[in-house]
Amino acid sequence: MVDDVFNSMDEWGPEKIVAVSDTKTGMKGVLVIDNTARGIGKGGIRMLPTVSVREIARLARVMTWKWAGVDLFYGGAKAGIQADPQSPYKEEILRAFVRRLSNEVPAEYVFGLDMGLTEDDAAIINDELGDRGAAVGTPYELGGIPYDKLGITGYGVAEVVDQAAVRIGLEGRRVALQGFGAVGHAAAARLHALDYSVVSISTAAGALHDPAGLDVPLLLQLREDRGDTLVDALPQLRIEPGSELLVDADIAVPAALQDVITVNNAADIKARLLVEGANLPTSPDAQTLLHRRGVTVIPDFVANAGGVVSAAFAMDARYSAFRPETEQIFTTVSAKLRTNADQVLDETLRRGGTSHEAARAMAQERVLVAMELRGKPRRNRTALPALSASR
């Protein structure tokens, strides 16, 4: 365990890993603060029975690149609690976790929301620490920006889809969508508004496919009424779970789980454009394979950065009596993410590698400049090949 932690450290971080537990509640959790050269740690907290230190460290690194990629001044961090979010003792477990991190929160890290947690949980975090700046994503009634309810992340994913699709001649074409949760359903709604045809979706209860295009407004209503079991209302459209990204479509959007596209199934993806709505959905080997096949890929920390843009608004508003205007948030998300998508595609063409390599190099350069300005030496000059000319 200790060796694994040490082996995971490189020239970027993590700067701090805090593992905590509580014997009364059985709580086990971890906070990983990856890199704060551009600002204090900011990232979501997830609650799942399978949470691991390695998983949270990977996600914290994604946040480092995501903040830098969208060019906002916060650092990468992530937290996780190894527990069932459906537990009747969820509140007690969450409060115990937050208490154990009172030295770090909110001075070094501010909580956000991830899998297993809701806006009400963000309110509990602030209540436990007696500080309305400890967490963002709080309910609207408490002055927060409910970006999950507003669907801002999914909205941003759809904006990126459209920006990339227009560039490569796929505007208004067929979209295979994995997931119909907080990100997926909002992406579907925006894609429908932009006149794209969503031909497949999935939930934890199953998957649906219609080559002629699914009835997105109906699906949105069914989701509101039935949640994940919406798929049971359309048995004639059911397909094998896991195949929703492999159907005949021009654009694929994994917007649910990580590690779902691997070398075992990347060759079966028929889409010419893949936009990563989820975090870490595509393995490095699969990224290379897709690149060789000529599939245009927009990396996760570019495509799903709408959440961090809205979180940045929420960070500024934590101690304010006024909440930001929702229209301003959506406008900023659209402008920033469309610009970032163009920059990544341009840099990919210039460098000749995968889009993940190009996007990561752009983010790394921004972090590296901040580290050097703070007097932190560059310890691995080979980590950023051929970047000096672009500075």
Side-chain angles (χ1 to χ4, degrees), residues 20-29 47 81 89-102 111 124 128-129:
V20 296
S21 64
D22 178 71
T23 56
K24 291 182 179 179
T25 62
M27 179 275 297
K28 296 179 182 178
M47 180 183 288
I81 303 172
Y89 305 105
K90 179 182 181 181
E91 180 175 337
E92 290 89 335
I93 293 170
L94 180 60
R95 287 183 181 274
F97 180 67
V98 172
R99 283 196 303 273
R100 290 287 191 266
L101 294 176
S102 59
F111 287 107
I124 288 170
E128 182 61 33
L129 293 181

Side-chain angles (χ1 to χ4, degrees), residues 363-377:
Q364 285 177 340
E365 184 71 0
R366 291 170 178 169
V367 174
L368 179 62
V369 169
M371 292 171 69
E372 291 179 336
L373 289 172
R374 289 171 174 265
K376 298 176 180 178

Side-chain angles (χ1 to χ4, degrees), residues 35 38-44 60-77 110 136 301 305 307-313 315 336 340 363 366-367:
N35 187 299
R38 288 170 55 93
I40 68 168
K42 173 71 191 75
R61 179 59 53 85
V62 170
M63 291 306 302
T64 295
W65 306 144
K66 189 175 292 188
W67 284 116
V70 80
D71 203 17
L72 294 171
F73 291 91
Y74 292 107
V110 175
V136 297
F301 58 90
V308 303
V309 175
S310 57
F313 277 98
M315 288 287 285
K336 269 197 167 292
N340 289 347
R366 291 170 178 169
V367 174

Side-chain angles (χ1 to χ4, degrees), residues 287-364:
Q287 293 165 18
T288 300
L289 178 57
L290 290 168
H291 174 70
R292 290 173 179 168
R293 291 182 56 217
V295 178
T296 299
V297 179
I298 306 295
D300 50 0
F301 58 90
V302 175
N304 65 20
V308 303
V309 175
S310 57
F313 277 98
M315 288 287 285
D316 283 349
R318 284 180 299 157
Y319 298 109
S320 173
F322 303 93
R323 62 171 65 88
E325 294 293 331
T326 300
E327 183 178 350
Q328 182 186 9
I329 298 174
F330 279 103
T331 300
T332 303
V333 166
S334 177
K336 269 197 167 292
L337 268 60
R338 285 177 177 270
T339 297
N340 289 347
D342 276 337
Q343 289 177 343
V344 168
L345 292 174
D346 290 341
E347 185 68 6
T348 302
L349 289 173
R350 188 187 73 81
R351 292 174 61 88
T354 70
S355 57
H356 283 80
E357 292 167 345
R360 191 160 50 247
M362 291 171 60
Q364 285 177 340

Side-chain angles (χ1 to χ4, degrees), residues 163-183:
Q163 190 70 19
V166 168
R167 283 185 55 137
I168 60 178
L170 297 178
E171 184 178 9
R173 303 289 283 274
R174 298 164 300 163
V175 180
L177 177 64
Q178 183 181 64
F180 208 67
V183 176

